[in-house]
Amino acid sequence: MKKSLTITALALSATVSAAGAETLNVGMSGGYFPFTFVKLDELQGFEVDFINAIAAETGDDVNFVTMSFSGLIGALETGKIDTIANQITITPEREAKFAFSQPYVFDGAQIVVKKGNEESITSVDDLSGKTVAVNLGSNFEQLLNELPNAAEIDIRTYESNIAQDTALGRVDAFVMDRVSSAQLIAESPLPLAFAGKPFSEIRNALPFRNDDEGVELRDRFDAAITTLKENGTLADISQKWFGTDISVAE
């Protein structure tokens, strides 16, 4: 079966979404470099290659549905999409709602500051009294709220531009996964730098609705992920985008 790759807005989401259908709707933001982003009107990134590789194993067609990150979970819950490929971190709260695939990315939560400020923030303890940005709908707000000094941190949620506001000094830092942060620092002209080491291990996976159809689809995807790990395809995709294999725990 020839795979069709169509980028749509939420309103144009394909009508067939049941597990095992010919076309599966996969949600992503299209704005999370280098995992999912648009360049020259083409949706690309690690997640795009990963889902395409899974579809090649399962024989499914893929319809990529792009929307704001904060809307992805709701779209999955209401059946507008079948899964999310946007570095969704496994958390106890999400595990209670969704059926997760096996992890395919292992990462860590990273503090990033304006270059030159690395000495002022070297750990989460130094975030007390600071303003810290996180992406709206991400798990990083929860991670910060679980810190012993959470009450002393001014946490601000953003739909976008957390890196720009950090570089401009509008916030003291932002928290993102280390892999994305490293790529952002390497590719962006913004003056940014790591502040200390990652402070929490992150396991990212694909979530599915926790019903019979969702679990069947999860199992089908999970088998494909196992194959991609065993035959080296997932490692190759990781090397392409990151120069290292982020699909295995350190």
Side-chain angles (χ1 to χ4, degrees), residues 2-160:
K2 185 177 180 181
K3 200 164 42 177
S4 120
L5 306 178
T6 307
I7 305 171
T8 72
L10 179 58
L12 298 179
S13 172
T15 57
V16 181
S17 62
E22 289 188 356
T23 300
L24 299 174
N25 295 316
V26 178
M28 55 178 57
S29 68
Y32 194 32
F33 179 87
F35 290 100
T36 163
F37 63 100
V38 177
K39 185 176 182 180
L40 300 177
D41 295 326
E42 179 184 358
L43 184 65
Q44 53 189 290
F46 172 87
E47 298 280 18
V48 176
D49 288 354
F50 172 60
I51 293 298
N52 286 342
I54 288 177
E57 292 293 328
T58 64
D60 292 304
D61 290 346
V62 177
N63 178 53
F64 290 115
V65 183
T66 59
M67 67 186 78
S68 66
F69 181 82
S70 60
L72 288 169
I73 294 294
L76 178 59
E77 290 176 321
T78 56
K80 293 183 174 72
I81 55 177
D82 297 299
T83 189
I84 304 168
N86 209 109
Q87 292 305 283
I88 300 300
T89 299
I90 300 173
T91 66
E93 293 77 14
R94 288 172 178 168
E95 281 190 301
K97 286 185 177 182
F98 302 111
F100 274 93
S101 72
Q102 62 184 285
Y104 62 96
V105 167
F106 294 85
D107 203 349
Q110 177 67 52
I111 304 169
V112 180
V113 297
K114 182 178 180 180
K115 192 171 184 179
N117 293 343
E118 301 96 313
E119 298 302 319
S120 63
I121 299 177
T122 59
S123 71
V124 292
D125 294 337
D126 297 325
L127 295 179
S128 296
K130 300 294 194 299
T131 302
V132 183
V134 294
N135 282 314
L136 180 65
S138 72
N139 64 302
F140 298 114
E141 181 178 7
Q142 179 182 342
L143 289 177
L144 289 174
N145 278 319
E146 291 173 351
L147 295 175
N149 58 332
E152 302 169 14
I153 305 171
D154 181 5
I155 304 170
R156 299 187 184 181
T157 56
Y158 278 64
E159 281 281 8
S160 60

Side-chain angles (χ1 to χ4, degrees), residues 165-192:
D165 273 17
T166 301
L168 291 171
R170 293 170 179 162
V171 295
D172 297 303
F174 70 84
V175 173
M176 187 184 285
D177 67 274
R178 183 178 178 86
V179 171
S180 296
S181 300
Q183 290 295 308
L184 179 63
I185 291 170
E187 299 287 339
S188 171
L190 296 172
L192 300 169

